[in-house]
């Protein structure tokens, strides 16, 4: 029998990561955008900057057989950008690789 | 929660409060002594207290105080009298066990009586107020629920969270037969009329109509749609929404469903009878049915990739 309310919890435990940490709300936003014709783009925003996004994009490109890039954004930090609708793929991959939990993933779009 | 409690009957309230305080005191004590066995026993007795009559409850409270004192003594014993500790422990556990044994018999009876009482009341009310057929249906439901809710009765084990939850909901339904919360209320929506315009644009023809149905500002729904779809668009003179990009009715429907889930239906009771208010930069969803009020996620379009021709952008900015 343990009482969660009475356990000590340091609210500033993750504050030393720095203000430039792009994980604003702890969520990984996965979005889709239409381009011309049937083409689409998938963006992944909010991955922790502790991870090497370049390595992630390299692995994803190979895994999903699509092109992709990392974009440095002044407000949102490093954003992963993949060609095509890779929302399902990236969700599965991120959970399988243990980079994000399923409840941290927020998939937008239609 | 405070308003939820307001709906409850006063008797129920009392019980609940008693339960709460009992839990707190006991579990805090258990924490301080660091003995799991005792806390379990304490809770068992407390459960039985809750269903007791007033007189019995008073006696129980007295017992509680005595227990408390004993438990408080323990830490000192731990520090000072290592040798004497086992004896003290045994004594207290025996005593609590005895208490339990005494109360268990009475309380089981009490609990059963209580349930039968509520059942009878229920039946009478139903027969008076409603049609017989309906009442029979409800009774069947109730019996099913009851089977679930008293599964821990008579056994020594701790009840699970789910069991407590079904129990409290059952009591709520018993006391407030006309409450919307427990019942499934279908929220019927008209499907969005989505038509392609040319090759690059989509028209959402009944956009303003749907806004009216949802009682939401068109701008709010517009912001959400455009942020989710990662595109741009506007409402034209015929009050239809023109969105850049090709979208099918099903896709728009999906986004609408997410909008309704987040910004229209109450997060507590799922009633669609809600008001969206802006309060110091945050949106709050106020429920008209259950009175709950909670903040909802702000609409952020987030990162937008460049999808138009870069040459065109350069030409524009230069
Ligand atoms: Zn509500």
């Amino acid at each position: 029998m343990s009482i969660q309310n009475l356990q000590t919890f340091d609210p500033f435990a993750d504050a030393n990561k720095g203000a430039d940490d792009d994980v604003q709300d702890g969520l990984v936003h996965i979005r889709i955008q239409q381009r011309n014709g049937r083409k689409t783009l998938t963006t992944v925003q909010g991955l922790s900057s502790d991870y090497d996004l370049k390595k992630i994009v390299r692995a994803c490109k190979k895994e999903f057989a699509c092109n992709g890039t990392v974009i440095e954004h002044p407000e949102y930090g490093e954003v992963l950008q993949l060609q095509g609708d890779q929302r399902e793929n990236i969700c599965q991959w991120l959970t399988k690789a243990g980079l994000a939990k399923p409840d941290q993933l927020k998939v937008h779009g239609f | 929660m405070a308003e939820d409690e307001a709906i409850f009957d006063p008797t129920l309230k009392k019980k609940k409060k008693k339960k709460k305080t009992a839990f707190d005191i006991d579990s805090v004590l258990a924490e301080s002594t660091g003995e799991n066995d005792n806390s379990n026993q304490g809770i068992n007795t407390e459960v039985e207290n809750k269903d007791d009559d007033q007189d019995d409850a008073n006696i129980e409270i007295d017992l509680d105080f005595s227990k408390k004192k004993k438990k408080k003594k323990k830490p000192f014993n731990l520090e000072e009298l290592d040798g004497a500790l086992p004896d003290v422990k045994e004594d207290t556990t025996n005593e609590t066990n005895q208490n339990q044994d005494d109360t268990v018999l009475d309380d089981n009876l009490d609990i059963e009586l209580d349930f039968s009482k509520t059942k009878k009341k229920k039946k009478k009310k139903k027969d008076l107020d409603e049609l017989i057929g309906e009442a029979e249906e409800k009774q069947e439901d109730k019996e099913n629920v009851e089977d679930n809710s008293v599964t821990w009765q008579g056994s020594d084990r701790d009840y699970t969270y789910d069991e407590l939850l079904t129990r409290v909901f059952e009591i709520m339904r018993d006391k407030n037969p006309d409450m919307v919360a427990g019942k499934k209320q279908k929220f019927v929506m008209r499907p969005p009329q989505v038509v392609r315009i040319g090759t690059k644009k989509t028209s959402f023809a009944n956009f303003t109509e749907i806004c009216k149905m949802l009682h939401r500002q068109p701008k709010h729904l517009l912001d959400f749609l455009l942020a989710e779809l990662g595109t741009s668009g506007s409402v034209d003179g015929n009050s239809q929404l023109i969105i850049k990009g090709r979208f099918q009715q099903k896709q728009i429907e999906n986004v609408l469903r997410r909008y309704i889930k987040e910004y229209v239906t109450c997060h507590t009771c799922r009633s669609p009878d809600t008001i969206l208010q802006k309060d110091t930069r945050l949106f709050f969803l106020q429920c008209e049915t259950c009175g709950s009020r909670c903040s909802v996620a702000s609409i952020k379009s987030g990162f937008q990739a460049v999808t138009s021709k870069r040459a065109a952008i350069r030409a524009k900015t230069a």
Side-chain angles (χ1 to χ4, degrees), chain B residues 266-271 274 287-292:
Chain B
C266 169
H267 292 206
T268 310
C269 72
R270 293 204 210 97
S271 155
T274 56
C287 179
E288 294 288 274
T289 310
C290 74
S292 100

Side-chain angles (χ1 to χ4, degrees), chain B residues 139-178:
Chain B
Q139 274 164 25
E140 271 172 19
D141 284 348
K142 218 127 273 162
E143 269 156 25
N144 286 337
V145 179
E146 249 167 33
D147 285 343
N148 289 333
S149 63
V150 291
T151 40
W152 69 81
Q153 192 195 317
S155 68
D156 262 357
R157 72 186 176 84
D158 279 350
Y159 33 71
T160 63
Y161 175 75
D162 290 318
E163 284 168 341
L164 281 182
L165 206 63
T166 48
R167 190 184 137 93
V168 80
F169 268 102
E170 183 202 324
I171 294 168
M172 270 159 66
R173 256 175 248 137
D174 272 5
K175 307 273 179 189
N176 314 279
D178 51 346

Side-chain angles (χ1 to χ4, degrees), chain A residues 1-3 6-7 24-25 29 31-39 41 43-45 71-73 75-77 79-81 87 106-110, chain B residues 23 27-28 30-31 36 39-40 43 158 200 227-231 244-247 251-252 254-255 258 262 300-307 309-310:
Chain A
M1 183 82 190
S2 68
I3 307 296
L6 296 178
Q7 274 159 11
Q24 282 119 341
D25 48 5
H29 294 274
R31 295 192 178 83
I32 186 159
Q33 274 178 266
Q34 285 191 344
R35 293 177 57 223
N36 37 2
R38 292 184 62 231
K39 292 171 183 166
L41 261 182
T43 60
V44 183
Q45 174 204 321
I71 291 172
E72 184 67 46
H73 191 276
E75 189 184 342
Y76 303 117
V79 178
L80 212 68
Q81 188 175 306
R87 289 177 296 168
K106 181 133 180 58
V107 182
H108 299 265
F110 31 83
Chain B
F23 263 128
S27 43
V28 168
E31 279 275 306
N36 290 330
S39 72
N40 282 343
I43 285 163
D158 279 350
K200 285 186 174 169
E228 280 298 292
L229 298 172
T231 181
K244 201 179 151 214
R246 299 203 255 185
F247 300 98
Q251 296 173 316
I252 301 289
N254 274 337
V255 182
R258 280 216 298 274
E262 176 71 32
K300 272 181 279 180
S301 53
F303 173 75
Q304 292 284 314
V306 182
T307 51
K309 290 244 163 58
R310 282 164 207 273

